[in-house]
Amino acid sequence: MANSLHRPIKIPKMPRTTVRCAATSSRPLKYRPSPTVPSYDTNPKPKQKAIPVITPRPETESNSKPISHIKWSPLQIIAASALDNFEDAVIANFLEKQHPLPKTADPSVQISGNYAPVRETPPHHNLPVSGRIPSVMNGVYVRNGANPYFDPVAGHHLFDGDGMIHAVHFKNGKASYACRFTETQRLVQERSIGRPVFPKAIGELHGHSGIARLLLFFARAALGVIDATHGIGVANAGLIHFNGRLLAMSEDDLPYQVCLTENGDLKTVGRYDFSGQLRSPMIAHPKVDPVTKEMFALSYDVLKKPYLKYFYFTPNGEKSSEVEIPIDEPTMMHDFAITENYAIIPDQQVVFKMHELLRGGSPVVYDKNKIARFGILPKYSKNASGIKWIEVENCFCFHLWNAWEDAFTGEIVVIGSCMTPPDSIFNESDEHLNSVLSEIRLNPSTGKSTRNPILAPSEQVNLEAGMVNKNLLGRKTRFAYLAIAEPWPKVSGFAKVDLFTGKVEKFIYGDNRYGGEPYFVPNDSCHMVKGEDEGYVLCHVHNETACESELLIINAANLRQEASINLPSRVPYGFHGTFIGSKELQGQS
């Protein structure tokens, strides 16, 4: 059943646990540009020609379930073969060959360099440490990312890859590391069949070839070649620990529960529907109130109404009724915010227009005629009658870092990074990308808003991916820890920003060293009792010259490095993470 043209990404054989660079290999390898979005210079520089390669691990070392082939009837075998041939001959070699791939869907751009995928790594203990791991650091830092199991056969966007979680465990000053795929229904079926068979939402669904791939997907599902009834998501974006469970999320599916084992490994439990209560996808950025311990979330649909729903879970996992949020068209809702009493829901300019496929375009569209607005909804609403919409000019925030209620002015303060052009992550553009950390003030009484940059013009840098002290989520915070996304889309360091004064302190990783989201771990896991910046910032950093990855522990109060943990495998640049303390780990469900 497996087609020889579609196979897992192959990596040259090398001695076990070795990591090397193509630049130091005796085998000549062709240079591929670093992943990018429009306006980023992809011309190679002398120190950027190395393509990391990681040793493949024997299959016996994987904790993945054994590959069991799907049992098809004789008719299904014939149908599967015919559909595979149609895909290869008509879609791949005719429809898709007529149009060059944009950079935002070109695999040679999107998953090259340190965005390239890696194999699973079983637990490695007693890792080399420079400096000292703080004594309060006991638990596990987990970070999600996209890591395609198969070589792309067509367009591929970074966000399309299969989910892989990287885990660093801390115990009594020592550290261990492991990384594993999240065993989604999509991955399990594709691995069994031996080729990618589910459509890639961003990389493949463009124009007429995108329509053909959707029809191919529907045909495979209708004939029973694949089972799409249990979700098609990749679980590669967010991570949250709630009610004793680690949940991996992407907004195209339900969450997946992942268990952290005693020996430092990860094991997928399965798709998690909160005991049958959740029947629709959940966005990758739900919010846990640090005081009430409730979790608030959104779900959006790109095909049918209601396009947007809001709900929450009690601390023991009981789901509220769903509130249908009135919006005119399906809109990307990657993130939102909460305050002590409200949910802040963005309705912004990146929308889904499926009919654009008929015109040869992408269904992810920047609507230039739309004015962004934010909905202020009481957190425990039974319906949307109490929502208050306030327009905000020239505003698109892919992420919102925090929000709170200003008791003095009566305004809602929202902290986010305003990105222009709004669709630059998804669609190719000649316009230079900017991500401006902003304070947005919403006045429920007047219906007016203001938006002001927090940094002075002389200090302006692209700030994306990060957080505030999670013990103060939804309350007034002074500090934010944000990735310095320069040269875009790479991350050359992180910034500690004083949201009151605009003061910026930077921690720069060094020459040809890049990272991702900085994660702040407060000293006290309970509600705020100490200084807001008393804690540590964790960040994965990769040296592109030496092809070495490490985890840094930075004192958040003074930005001094406390420790560096040398990791046994390359860690690709990824997305979002969370820290789970040792006490929370003991209560895993």
Side-chain angles (χ1 to χ4, degrees):
M1 288 183 287
N3 189 313
S4 61
L5 295 177
H6 305 274
R7 52 188 178 273
I9 296 173
K10 287 190 174 180
I11 301 170
K13 293 183 178 179
M14 298 165 49
R16 186 174 178 273
T17 74
T18 302
V19 177
R20 69 173 182 179
C21 287
T24 61
S25 171
S26 59
R27 180 184 302 178
L29 293 177
K30 184 178 179 181
Y31 170 77
R32 295 180 296 176
S34 298
T36 186
V37 294
S39 82
Y40 178 67
D41 182 10
T42 59
N43 292 327
K45 298 177 182 179
K47 291 185 177 181
Q48 295 178 328
K49 292 185 178 180
I51 303 174
V53 180
I54 187 171
T55 306
R57 303 289 196 256
E59 291 295 332
T60 55
E61 292 188 12
S62 173
N63 76 338
S64 303
K65 296 177 182 178
I67 298 178
S68 57
H69 293 286
I70 295 175
K71 294 181 179 179
W72 289 331
S73 68
L75 181 60
Q76 288 173 323
I77 293 174
I78 295 172
S81 178
L83 292 173
D84 289 350
N85 290 333
F86 173 79
E87 178 184 2
D88 296 338
V90 178
I91 300 178
N93 291 314
F94 177 66
L95 291 176
E96 291 173 338
K97 275 196 173 181
Q98 297 182 49
H99 304 284
L101 290 170
K103 292 178 182 178
T104 50
D106 186 346
S108 70
V109 173
Q110 291 290 308
I111 53 171
S112 65
N114 194 45
Y115 288 89
V118 294
R119 300 279 187 173
E120 291 185 324
T121 299
H124 282 58
H125 301 287
N126 297 321
L127 299 178
V129 177
S130 299
R132 291 185 63 185
I133 297 174
S135 59
V136 298
M137 191 70 65
N138 284 294
V140 58
Y141 171 53
V142 282
R143 199 222 65 193
N144 212 345
N147 197 82
Y149 183 84
F150 286 97
D151 269 321
V153 297
H156 181 95
H157 188 280
L158 177 64
F159 294 175
D160 290 326
D162 298 295
M164 173 175 275
I165 300 175
H166 301 260
V168 180
H169 284 252
F170 302 96
K171 186 175 182 180
N172 300 327
K174 296 183 179 180
S176 64
Y177 168 83
C179 69
R180 297 292 188 184
F181 282 105
T182 298
E183 300 282 322
T184 62
Q185 287 292 317
R186 176 190 186 115
L187 175 60
V188 169
Q189 290 186 66
E190 289 187 335
R191 196 169 52 202
S192 172
I193 293 170
R195 65 183 284 158
V197 289
F198 289 87
K200 295 181 177 179
I202 305 176
E204 291 182 347
L205 300 189
H206 293 261
H208 300 141
S209 63
I211 295 174
R213 286 199 173 275
L214 277 177
L215 294 175
L216 176 66
F217 165 67
F218 291 139
R220 282 170 169 154
L223 293 169
V225 175
I226 59 174
D227 180 3
T229 62
H230 298 291
I232 61 172
V234 289
N236 67 12
L239 290 172
I240 199 165
H241 189 261
F242 176 71
N243 191 28
R245 293 175 175 87
L246 174 62
L247 303 178
M249 300 161 293
S250 56
E251 48 237 54
D252 53 1
D253 204 344
L254 273 64
Y256 274 81
Q257 182 182 352
V258 178
C259 176
L260 297 157
T261 69
E262 291 185 1
N263 72 332
D265 213 339
L266 303 108
K267 186 173 183 179
T268 303
V269 177
R271 198 164 175 251
Y272 186 63
D273 62 4
F274 292 84
S275 301
Q277 299 177 94
L278 184 62
R279 296 183 175 87
S280 59
M282 188 171 79
I283 67 168
H285 290 287
K287 309 297 180 184
V288 173
D289 189 299
V291 177
T292 68
K293 307 302 180 185
E294 297 161 316
M295 183 170 75
F296 300 83
L298 297 175
S299 172
Y300 69 84
D301 195 305
V302 302
L303 297 176
K304 63 182 186 301
K305 291 186 176 182
Y307 295 129
L308 182 63
K309 296 181 290 187
Y310 164 81
F311 48 90
Y312 66 91
F313 296 92
T314 65
N316 62 0
E318 293 182 10
K319 182 174 171 288
S320 72
S321 58
E322 294 177 344
V323 177
E324 297 182 6
I325 306 299
I327 57 175
D328 296 331
E329 58 189 337
T331 302
M332 176 168 289
M333 296 278 179
H334 183 69
D335 201 359
F336 76 120
I338 60 170
T339 69
E340 187 174 355
N341 296 294
Y342 299 98
I344 312 302
I345 301 171
D347 178 15
Q348 302 179 115
Q349 309 94 310
V350 176
V351 299
F352 298 95
K353 296 181 182 291
M354 299 306 291
H355 62 266
E356 287 295 321
L357 289 169
L358 297 172
R359 300 172 58 182
S362 166
V364 183
V365 176
Y366 168 31
D367 185 349
K368 297 182 180 180
N369 297 318
K370 182 177 181 180
I371 298 176
R373 61 179 186 164
F374 286 78
I376 304 172
L377 178 72
K379 280 163 76 173
Y380 303 104
S381 296
K382 301 294 184 181
N383 55 59
S385 61
I387 195 168
K388 177 78 172 181
W389 291 104
I390 299 178
E391 292 185 345
V392 183
E393 295 278 354
N394 302 316
C395 176
F396 173 81
C397 295
F398 197 56
H399 292 108
L400 300 175
W401 311 122
N402 199 17
W404 63 82
E405 301 155 35
D406 189 323
F408 181 73
T409 65
E411 296 171 313
I412 303 292
V413 180
V414 182
I415 306 297
S417 292
C418 292
M419 184 179 292
T420 55
D423 64 338
S424 57
I425 292 177
F426 305 101
N427 297 316
E428 193 161 6
S429 169
D430 293 329
E431 187 177 347
H432 181 72
L433 184 142
N434 287 296
S435 184
V436 179
L437 181 64
S438 302
E439 179 189 81
I440 302 162
R441 285 185 168 264
L442 311 172
N443 192 318
S445 299
T446 65
K448 303 294 184 180
S449 70
T450 60
R451 179 179 75 84
N452 293 297
I454 292 175
L455 306 188
S458 60
E459 295 280 2
Q460 176 57 39
V461 290
N462 287 330
L463 297 178
E464 251 297 334
M467 64 184 298
V468 300
N469 187 322
K470 65 180 182 180
N471 288 341
L472 286 176
L473 192 70
R475 281 76 180 168
K476 190 173 184 178
T477 45
R478 179 161 195 161
F479 300 111
Y481 306 89
L482 302 167
I484 300 173
E486 295 191 6
W488 180 268
K490 291 183 179 180
V491 172
S492 55
F494 73 86
K496 176 185 178 181
V497 181
D498 187 321
L499 302 175
F500 300 167
T501 67
K503 178 183 176 182
V504 182
E505 298 177 81
K506 300 176 183 177
F507 185 94
I508 303 301
Y509 299 139
D511 291 343
N512 225 25
R513 289 161 53 87
Y514 302 98
E517 175 190 68
Y519 190 88
F520 176 80
V521 182
N523 271 353
D524 193 334
S525 61
C526 301
H527 189 56
M528 181 56 55
V529 294
K530 297 184 178 181
E532 183 184 328
D533 62 350
E534 289 190 31
Y536 301 92
V537 176
L538 304 179
C539 39
H540 281 287
V541 175
H542 181 71
N543 186 322
E544 294 193 350
T545 302
C547 278
E548 294 176 347
S549 294
E550 59 187 321
L551 182 73
L552 301 185
I553 303 175
I554 310 299
N555 188 310
N558 55 29
L559 296 195
R560 294 177 181 172
Q561 181 172 314
E562 299 281 343
S564 169
I565 301 165
N566 188 282
L567 302 176
S569 302
R570 178 171 63 84
V571 177
Y573 305 131
F575 302 138
H576 306 291
T578 191
F579 184 86
I580 308 165
S582 55
K583 291 182 180 179
E584 294 177 286
L585 285 174
Q586 294 172 5
Q588 276 192 106
S589 299

